[in-house]
Amino acid sequence: MSALDDKINEQFAGFVVRKDLVKAVKGNAIVPGYVLEYLLGQYCATDDEASIATGIETVKEILRKHYVHRNQAGLVQSEIKERGHFKVIDRVSVSLNEKTDAYEAVFENLSIKKVAIDSGTIKAHPKLLVTGVWCISDVSYEFSEQSGISPWTVDSLKPIQVAGVDYETFKKTRDEFTTDEWVDVLMQSIGFNPEEFGKRSKLLQLMRLIPFVERNYNLIELGPKGTGKSHIFSEFSPHGQLISGGEVTVPKLFVNNSNGRIGLVGYWDVVAFDEFAGRTKKPQKALVDIMKNYMANKSFSRGVATMGAEASFAFVGNTAHNVPYMLKNSDLFEELPAEFHDSAFIDRIHAYLPGWEVEVIRSELFSEGYGFIVDYLAEILRHLRNDDLSLVYQDAGFKLSSQISTRDRDAINKTMSGYLKLLFPNGGATEAEIEGLLNLAIESRKRVKDQLKRIDSTYPETDFHFLRPSGEKRTVTTLEEDEYPKFYYRNLAQDDDSEDDEVLIDTEKTSGSEAATPSEPTGSGKPTEMQAREGHIVVKENLKGVTFEKIFGPWIKGATKITITDPYIRMFHQARNLMEFLELVIRQKKPEDHITVELITAPNDGDVAKQREFLDEIVGSCSTAGIDFTWRFDDAGTTHARHIITDTGWKISLDRGLDIFQHFGSSAFSLAGRFQEHRAVKQFELTYLKLDRNEGH
């Protein structure tokens, strides 16, 4: 167990579970994760290994006895008949039979219909009337010779969700964790290993939770296949409902005018539309119109009456093309059906989660640590929907640009409120933490607004920026705007379509002014070519297209001696980064040239033998290519700064050293493994200084 696992078990004893246990008990039971974690929470909410082992067996036995597999429905029906009654775990829905004036339940896997259920149960659990709910039920069988009388009866029914949550204790206990620890707790709670994600990537994953904590929040996520877009909405909460985008109808979603029955928005906190993208889909115009009205006004019409609801919408779908293709040829909403590829609909979306930044799911991304039992966290998030933290950033002294419209401002405020409720339910966010979240909230809305401008030219240009408490202006850009400026700003596109779009470095802005980033256009409106000059750059997390050649190449060119000071060349991936830097040196030099490269690093207390093995292999590998590579430990133990110094007089200060890339798959067929430009980076900063040659060596 990690220190974080110990801490969460101590502070939230009985409300956390080890996340890898879900796989251990699931077997071939096709049930949502929150159902399994509900059972695990009854028997395995501990860090005692013996109790966990016993609990796992208990849960497996409960599933074996009471979970109904579709292919065993007849066997379970027989069991109920012979015993007279039996407890089952199944998905249950209820409808009113107007001919008999009685409620009748349907057990999905058990394949029985017209099961008598009393009105008191329906009053206690009205969601049963809208859609299927996973329940633990006692079902009895008593045959009657009277025609039309069903032998099946529900004796008792309990939806699978936790009860008795102490919200105030939850808020106060949150304060026992640092912000980074709390973010990692939430990441582990939704099943991911936080060590595999950067800070921005974690916050993007957690954006998927905002619809659960914020009323009437409209989120869209479009991106490549296999990134787990629908997982949160299908597995995480008993208060969310995932439906196929092709199954949406006005009666199912809003109201059935023939019987007055309210649809999904009246009973669920979140309605998520899976497979929402697809240009060939043909949704009903009436559905689109009522959805637009609801998303804007939180209400819908029922005949002549108007009704309100609080359900948030989440739209998830796959993109057919990569980001530069979409920016060059259409827009980032290109895959929406034509009826939804409409400026009025898109303008009602509060945030666009960039699915292309989300990792494709692979085994090492999943957590084996402890996190909240998901239905416990779901109850907390549901309670927090009552809070409104949308103006906390204003109280902290931040101000949005006056150019930002009311609709844009509302969207930003709702995203901010959602993030603050997730991360700081009891307050206490620092100025820097508020600024980071505000930047992401504005970016998420700017992504929507910038595409609207492409779709409908009548939308005005908006300068998305905010003022810090000091009065300093902070301009907000989207990551794809920084990465593909030629296509993002269409007036920059060259007539020659064959020209590659590149991430370019502008180092003209030095410390003391706003930091430049890769792909940032200069005042002339065009990106500048790389040149070895003094300056400072800040590179955003998750940006792609950044390579050692672009950020180091011009500054090390022509050097015959290079000294690298980096105390963290210890692990395999760090040694790999060093080797890739040396590959750059080899590519730039002439075959007959001889270059000396020295590394000053620090020993790895965990496994110094393996570290020595890595570095010695690099020595041998480079010797045949005209590179005299040597390394040594900083014996004085004073190596903290990270930098590269050349005998041509350049010093490159590195806040992260060479370790700028995020984790990526180790497959031999992974493009990220073969090309640096396909890797997402961590946020990092570089400073280029010109020294007197005698200062360097």
Side-chain angles (χ1 to χ4, degrees), residues 17 83 87 123 125 144 273 330 375 406 452 534 540-541 546 562 677 683:
V17 68
R83 291 192 179 198
K87 188 185 297 291
K123 289 179 181 178
H125 311 294
S144 173
F273 302 86
S330 54
D375 57 330
T406 300
L452 276 172
E534 292 188 298
K540 290 182 179 179
E541 183 180 334
V546 179
I562 301 171
E677 53 264 43
Q683 179 169 314

PDB file of all heavy atoms in Angstrom, residues 17 83 87 123 125 144 273 330 375 406 452 534 540-541 546 562 677 683:
ATOM      1  N   VAL A  17     -12.476   1.206  -0.967  1.00  0.00           N
ATOM      2  CA  VAL A  17     -12.274  -0.186  -1.357  1.00  0.00           C
ATOM      3  C   VAL A  17     -11.118  -0.237  -2.339  1.00  0.00           C
ATOM      4  O   VAL A  17     -10.842   0.737  -3.050  1.00  0.00           O
ATOM      5  CB  VAL A  17     -13.566  -0.758  -1.993  1.00  0.00           C
ATOM      6  CG1 VAL A  17     -13.851  -0.108  -3.340  1.00  0.00           C
ATOM      7  CG2 VAL A  17     -13.499  -2.269  -2.122  1.00  0.00           C
ATOM      8  N   ARG A  83     -38.873 -23.005  -4.015  1.00  0.00           N
ATOM      9  CA  ARG A  83     -38.686 -22.455  -2.668  1.00  0.00           C
ATOM     10  C   ARG A  83     -39.864 -21.607  -2.213  1.00  0.00           C
ATOM     11  O   ARG A  83     -40.060 -21.389  -1.025  1.00  0.00           O
ATOM     12  CB  ARG A  83     -37.430 -21.592  -2.619  1.00  0.00           C
ATOM     13  CG  ARG A  83     -36.124 -22.352  -2.759  1.00  0.00           C
ATOM     14  CD  ARG A  83     -34.980 -21.433  -2.410  1.00  0.00           C
ATOM     15  NE  ARG A  83     -33.679 -22.084  -2.498  1.00  0.00           N
ATOM     16  CZ  ARG A  83     -32.573 -21.621  -1.934  1.00  0.00           C
ATOM     17  NH1 ARG A  83     -32.628 -20.500  -1.230  1.00  0.00           N
ATOM     18  NH2 ARG A  83     -31.436 -22.257  -2.054  1.00  0.00           N
ATOM     19  N   LYS A  87     -34.098 -14.439  -3.296  1.00  0.00           N
ATOM     20  CA  LYS A  87     -33.497 -13.111  -3.445  1.00  0.00           C
ATOM     21  C   LYS A  87     -32.689 -13.079  -4.733  1.00  0.00           C
ATOM     22  O   LYS A  87     -31.877 -13.975  -4.985  1.00  0.00           O
ATOM     23  CB  LYS A  87     -32.604 -12.799  -2.244  1.00  0.00           C
ATOM     24  CG  LYS A  87     -32.088 -11.351  -2.213  1.00  0.00           C
ATOM     25  CD  LYS A  87     -31.119 -11.149  -1.058  1.00  0.00           C
ATOM     26  CE  LYS A  87     -31.777 -11.356   0.279  1.00  0.00           C
ATOM     27  NZ  LYS A  87     -32.769 -10.294   0.609  1.00  0.00           N
ATOM     28  N   LYS A 123     -43.603   4.659  -4.777  1.00  0.00           N
ATOM     29  CA  LYS A 123     -43.498   6.006  -4.223  1.00  0.00           C
ATOM     30  C   LYS A 123     -42.113   6.250  -3.647  1.00  0.00           C
ATOM     31  O   LYS A 123     -41.570   7.353  -3.733  1.00  0.00           O
ATOM     32  CB  LYS A 123     -44.560   6.210  -3.146  1.00  0.00           C
ATOM     33  CG  LYS A 123     -45.972   6.298  -3.688  1.00  0.00           C
ATOM     34  CD  LYS A 123     -46.986   6.470  -2.567  1.00  0.00           C
ATOM     35  CE  LYS A 123     -48.415   6.541  -3.113  1.00  0.00           C
ATOM     36  NZ  LYS A 123     -49.411   6.659  -2.015  1.00  0.00           N
ATOM     37  N   HIS A 125     -39.365   4.750  -4.680  1.00  0.00           N
ATOM     38  CA  HIS A 125     -38.342   4.649  -5.723  1.00  0.00           C
ATOM     39  C   HIS A 125     -38.976   4.928  -7.094  1.00  0.00           C
ATOM     40  O   HIS A 125     -39.133   4.025  -7.925  1.00  0.00           O
ATOM     41  CB  HIS A 125     -37.705   3.254  -5.717  1.00  0.00           C
ATOM     42  CG  HIS A 125     -37.256   2.794  -4.359  1.00  0.00           C
ATOM     43  ND1 HIS A 125     -36.235   3.408  -3.672  1.00  0.00           N
ATOM     44  CD2 HIS A 125     -37.715   1.795  -3.562  1.00  0.00           C
ATOM     45  CE1 HIS A 125     -36.049   2.794  -2.508  1.00  0.00           C
ATOM     46  NE2 HIS A 125     -36.933   1.819  -2.419  1.00  0.00           N
ATOM     47  N   SER A 144     -51.913 -19.154  -9.299  1.00  0.00           N
ATOM     48  CA  SER A 144     -53.348 -18.966  -9.130  1.00  0.00           C
ATOM     49  C   SER A 144     -54.052 -19.452 -10.383  1.00  0.00           C
ATOM     50  O   SER A 144     -53.613 -19.169 -11.502  1.00  0.00           O
ATOM     51  CB  SER A 144     -53.665 -17.486  -8.891  1.00  0.00           C
ATOM     52  OG  SER A 144     -55.064 -17.281  -8.895  1.00  0.00           O
ATOM     53  N   PHE A 273     -25.451  10.646 -23.547  1.00  0.00           N
ATOM     54  CA  PHE A 273     -25.823  10.138 -24.872  1.00  0.00           C
ATOM     55  C   PHE A 273     -24.591   9.489 -25.487  1.00  0.00           C
ATOM     56  O   PHE A 273     -23.648  10.179 -25.892  1.00  0.00           O
ATOM     57  CB  PHE A 273     -26.326  11.285 -25.750  1.00  0.00           C
ATOM     58  CG  PHE A 273     -27.501  12.018 -25.171  1.00  0.00           C
ATOM     59  CD1 PHE A 273     -27.303  13.058 -24.277  1.00  0.00           C
ATOM     60  CD2 PHE A 273     -28.793  11.666 -25.504  1.00  0.00           C
ATOM     61  CE1 PHE A 273     -28.375  13.743 -23.728  1.00  0.00           C
ATOM     62  CE2 PHE A 273     -29.880  12.342 -24.959  1.00  0.00           C
ATOM     63  CZ  PHE A 273     -29.670  13.379 -24.065  1.00  0.00           C
ATOM     64  N   SER A 330     -12.727  21.454 -41.651  1.00  0.00           N
ATOM     65  CA  SER A 330     -14.087  21.693 -41.155  1.00  0.00           C
ATOM     66  C   SER A 330     -14.013  22.362 -39.791  1.00  0.00           C
ATOM     67  O   SER A 330     -13.624  23.502 -39.675  1.00  0.00           O
ATOM     68  CB  SER A 330     -14.864  20.368 -41.092  1.00  0.00           C
ATOM     69  OG  SER A 330     -14.151  19.400 -40.328  1.00  0.00           O
ATOM     70  N   ASP A 375     -20.563   4.388  -5.199  1.00  0.00           N
ATOM     71  CA  ASP A 375     -21.893   4.892  -4.899  1.00  0.00           C
ATOM     72  C   ASP A 375     -21.875   5.801  -3.672  1.00  0.00           C
ATOM     73  O   ASP A 375     -22.721   6.681  -3.536  1.00  0.00           O
ATOM     74  CB  ASP A 375     -22.915   3.761  -4.754  1.00  0.00           C
ATOM     75  CG  ASP A 375     -22.540   2.748  -3.694  1.00  0.00           C
ATOM     76  OD1 ASP A 375     -21.340   2.555  -3.471  1.00  0.00           O
ATOM     77  OD2 ASP A 375     -23.452   2.150  -3.100  1.00  0.00           O
ATOM     78  N   THR A 406     -22.526  36.923 -21.875  1.00  0.00           N
ATOM     79  CA  THR A 406     -23.229  36.342 -20.724  1.00  0.00           C
ATOM     80  C   THR A 406     -23.279  34.825 -20.813  1.00  0.00           C
ATOM     81  O   THR A 406     -23.065  34.122 -19.826  1.00  0.00           O
ATOM     82  CB  THR A 406     -24.658  36.908 -20.634  1.00  0.00           C
ATOM     83  OG1 THR A 406     -24.581  38.325 -20.468  1.00  0.00           O
ATOM     84  CG2 THR A 406     -25.415  36.303 -19.472  1.00  0.00           C
ATOM     85  N   LEU A 452     -17.720  27.690 -33.108  1.00  0.00           N
ATOM     86  CA  LEU A 452     -18.952  28.365 -33.530  1.00  0.00           C
ATOM     87  C   LEU A 452     -18.649  29.442 -34.564  1.00  0.00           C
ATOM     88  O   LEU A 452     -19.406  29.640 -35.516  1.00  0.00           O
ATOM     89  CB  LEU A 452     -19.645  28.991 -32.320  1.00  0.00           C
ATOM     90  CG  LEU A 452     -20.549  28.076 -31.494  1.00  0.00           C
ATOM     91  CD1 LEU A 452     -21.012  28.792 -30.233  1.00  0.00           C
ATOM     92  CD2 LEU A 452     -21.734  27.611 -32.312  1.00  0.00           C
ATOM     93  N   GLU A 534      18.393  33.928 -27.104  1.00  0.00           N
ATOM     94  CA  GLU A 534      18.028  33.932 -25.702  1.00  0.00           C
ATOM     95  C   GLU A 534      16.513  34.059 -25.557  1.00  0.00           C
ATOM     96  O   GLU A 534      15.836  34.627 -26.414  1.00  0.00           O
ATOM     97  CB  GLU A 534      18.720  35.078 -24.967  1.00  0.00           C
ATOM     98  CG  GLU A 534      20.230  34.905 -24.845  1.00  0.00           C
ATOM     99  CD  GLU A 534      20.841  35.963 -23.941  1.00  0.00           C
ATOM    100  OE1 GLU A 534      20.739  37.150 -24.295  1.00  0.00           O
ATOM    101  OE2 GLU A 534      21.408  35.588 -22.892  1.00  0.00           O
ATOM    102  N   LYS A 540       2.833  23.971 -22.533  1.00  0.00           N
ATOM    103  CA  LYS A 540       1.652  23.461 -21.842  1.00  0.00           C
ATOM    104  C   LYS A 540       1.645  21.933 -21.779  1.00  0.00           C
ATOM    105  O   LYS A 540       2.102  21.256 -22.701  1.00  0.00           O
ATOM    106  CB  LYS A 540       0.381  23.917 -22.551  1.00  0.00           C
ATOM    107  CG  LYS A 540       0.078  25.395 -22.433  1.00  0.00           C
ATOM    108  CD  LYS A 540      -1.230  25.702 -23.132  1.00  0.00           C
ATOM    109  CE  LYS A 540      -1.611  27.161 -23.027  1.00  0.00           C
ATOM    110  NZ  LYS A 540      -2.885  27.441 -23.732  1.00  0.00           N
ATOM    111  N   GLU A 541       1.063  21.436 -20.723  1.00  0.00           N
ATOM    112  CA  GLU A 541       0.891  19.993 -20.579  1.00  0.00           C
ATOM    113  C   GLU A 541      -0.017  19.457 -21.682  1.00  0.00           C
ATOM    114  O   GLU A 541      -0.966  20.107 -22.108  1.00  0.00           O
ATOM    115  CB  GLU A 541       0.271  19.680 -19.217  1.00  0.00           C
ATOM    116  CG  GLU A 541       0.127  18.187 -18.938  1.00  0.00           C
ATOM    117  CD  GLU A 541      -0.488  17.919 -17.577  1.00  0.00           C
ATOM    118  OE1 GLU A 541      -0.366  18.773 -16.679  1.00  0.00           O
ATOM    119  OE2 GLU A 541      -1.083  16.842 -17.421  1.00  0.00           O
ATOM    120  N   VAL A 546       6.263  18.407 -29.800  1.00  0.00           N
ATOM    121  CA  VAL A 546       7.498  18.930 -29.213  1.00  0.00           C
ATOM    122  C   VAL A 546       8.560  17.836 -29.282  1.00  0.00           C
ATOM    123  O   VAL A 546       8.332  16.702 -28.866  1.00  0.00           O
ATOM    124  CB  VAL A 546       7.277  19.358 -27.750  1.00  0.00           C
ATOM    125  CG1 VAL A 546       8.571  19.879 -27.144  1.00  0.00           C
ATOM    126  CG2 VAL A 546       6.187  20.422 -27.673  1.00  0.00           C
ATOM    127  N   ILE A 562      29.559  19.152 -24.483  1.00  0.00           N
ATOM    128  CA  ILE A 562      28.243  19.427 -23.891  1.00  0.00           C
ATOM    129  C   ILE A 562      28.218  18.810 -22.501  1.00  0.00           C
ATOM    130  O   ILE A 562      28.572  17.636 -22.325  1.00  0.00           O
ATOM    131  CB  ILE A 562      27.110  18.826 -24.751  1.00  0.00           C
ATOM    132  CG1 ILE A 562      27.138  19.409 -26.170  1.00  0.00           C
ATOM    133  CG2 ILE A 562      25.751  19.063 -24.098  1.00  0.00           C
ATOM    134  CD1 ILE A 562      26.190  18.698 -27.132  1.00  0.00           C
ATOM    135  N   GLU A 677       7.385  13.401 -31.535  1.00  0.00           N
ATOM    136  CA  GLU A 677       6.307  14.331 -31.851  1.00  0.00           C
ATOM    137  C   GLU A 677       4.919  13.748 -31.608  1.00  0.00           C
ATOM    138  O   GLU A 677       3.925  14.480 -31.571  1.00  0.00           O
ATOM    139  CB  GLU A 677       6.400  14.842 -33.296  1.00  0.00           C
ATOM    140  CG  GLU A 677       6.484  13.759 -34.341  1.00  0.00           C
ATOM    141  CD  GLU A 677       7.931  13.473 -34.740  1.00  0.00           C
ATOM    142  OE1 GLU A 677       8.811  13.408 -33.852  1.00  0.00           O
ATOM    143  OE2 GLU A 677       8.169  13.327 -35.945  1.00  0.00           O
ATOM    144  N   GLN A 683       3.950  19.714 -18.485  1.00  0.00           N
ATOM    145  CA  GLN A 683       4.235  21.142 -18.545  1.00  0.00           C
ATOM    146  C   GLN A 683       5.683  21.362 -18.124  1.00  0.00           C
ATOM    147  O   GLN A 683       6.145  20.801 -17.141  1.00  0.00           O
ATOM    148  CB  GLN A 683       3.310  21.940 -17.624  1.00  0.00           C
ATOM    149  CG  GLN A 683       3.610  23.439 -17.663  1.00  0.00           C
ATOM    150  CD  GLN A 683       2.553  24.272 -16.986  1.00  0.00           C
ATOM    151  OE1 GLN A 683       1.361  24.066 -17.205  1.00  0.00           O
ATOM    152  NE2 GLN A 683       2.970  25.220 -16.155  1.00  0.00           N
TER     153      GLN A 683
END
